Amino acid sequence: MTELSLFSTPPLDGYDKSTGDIRLYSPEALAVVSIALPLGSEDSALAMIASAYGVDLPSPGKSVIATDGARLVRLGLDQAFIIFPHSAPDAEDVVQGKLEDAVYVTDQTDAWTALAIEGSSTRDALERICPIDLHPESFAVDDAARTVMEHLGVLIIRAGDNDFLLLSASSSANSFLHALETSIANAG
């Protein structure tokens, strides 16, 4: 009998396309792990996060890059994502190993698809489908927000002056990609 091996790959794995000065691509081997702060133990959880990652967990709607390169994104008072380069299917164990039992962790990697968009015309493309004001005075570098783009739920993170990381449900990855490609094509 033939032995078969299955490998998990992100739905948009390897996607990389430039249109004009805008590059849209799927970041390689990106893990997404959610953490929840236990009720009544928030202070000790925040201290453990600061110790393990070398940065404080930011306030809701903000993100920060940790000393190990992970991005910590605060989604609410007691919830955050830790997004980091990692290709093995043990991302939850990696975070749990750093934070021990200080927080609750759940691997969200397979539930989300990520696209990065960069270039000087990026805001022109995103403003067609994103209801958030992305002007730097309103949405600064490292800001994060949940929003809707073309009826799809999206977490948008401003990673640089003209760089954004976008996360949406992996179940609608192709629709998400199509919405962004169409908006980019119409931005010029």
Side-chain angles (χ1 to χ4, degrees):
M1 181 176 290
T2 304
E3 292 287 327
L4 299 175
S5 296
L6 299 176
F7 299 95
S8 176
T9 58
L12 301 176
D13 191 37
Y15 180 86
D16 192 336
K17 183 178 179 182
S18 293
T19 304
D21 72 334
I22 298 175
R23 178 181 177 214
L24 181 65
Y25 64 96
S26 176
E28 289 185 38
L30 203 60
V32 180
V33 176
S34 69
I35 61 171
L37 308 180
L39 184 63
S41 300
E42 296 89 350
D43 291 341
S44 61
L46 291 171
M48 179 62 95
I49 292 166
S51 173
Y53 286 95
V55 294
D56 290 331
L57 189 62
S59 59
K62 303 288 183 186
S63 72
V64 65
I65 302 294
T67 55
D68 67 356
R71 181 177 290 275
L72 283 65
V73 183
R74 187 83 172 259
L75 303 171
L77 290 176
D78 62 352
Q79 184 185 21
F81 276 171
I82 299 177
I83 304 169
F84 59 103
H86 189 74
S87 60
D90 64 346
E92 181 177 335
D93 295 337
V94 170
V95 174
Q96 188 75 59
K98 286 183 168 225
L99 299 178
E100 300 170 6
D101 292 326
V103 299
Y104 302 114
V105 298
T106 307
D107 191 344
Q108 297 285 318
T109 305
D110 288 341
W112 295 89
T113 192
L115 285 170
I117 184 169
E118 59 189 31
S120 61
S121 300
T122 297
R123 278 193 313 119
D124 295 337
L126 290 177
E127 71 183 2
R128 298 174 169 284
I129 59 174
C130 182
I132 294 175
D133 181 358
L134 298 176
H135 190 277
E137 292 177 9
S138 299
F139 198 75
V141 172
D142 293 329
D143 279 1
R146 291 181 187 218
T147 188
V148 175
M149 293 184 189
E150 294 294 309
H151 76 277
L152 301 168
V154 176
L155 173 61
I156 182 170
I157 303 162
R158 187 175 203 134
D161 289 337
N162 295 306
D163 306 342
F164 293 84
L165 179 63
L166 311 170
L167 281 79
S168 190
S170 60
S171 60
S172 54
N174 289 325
S175 296
F176 182 49
L177 175 63
H178 176 72
L180 286 163
E181 285 179 327
T182 301
S183 188
I184 291 167
N186 290 321

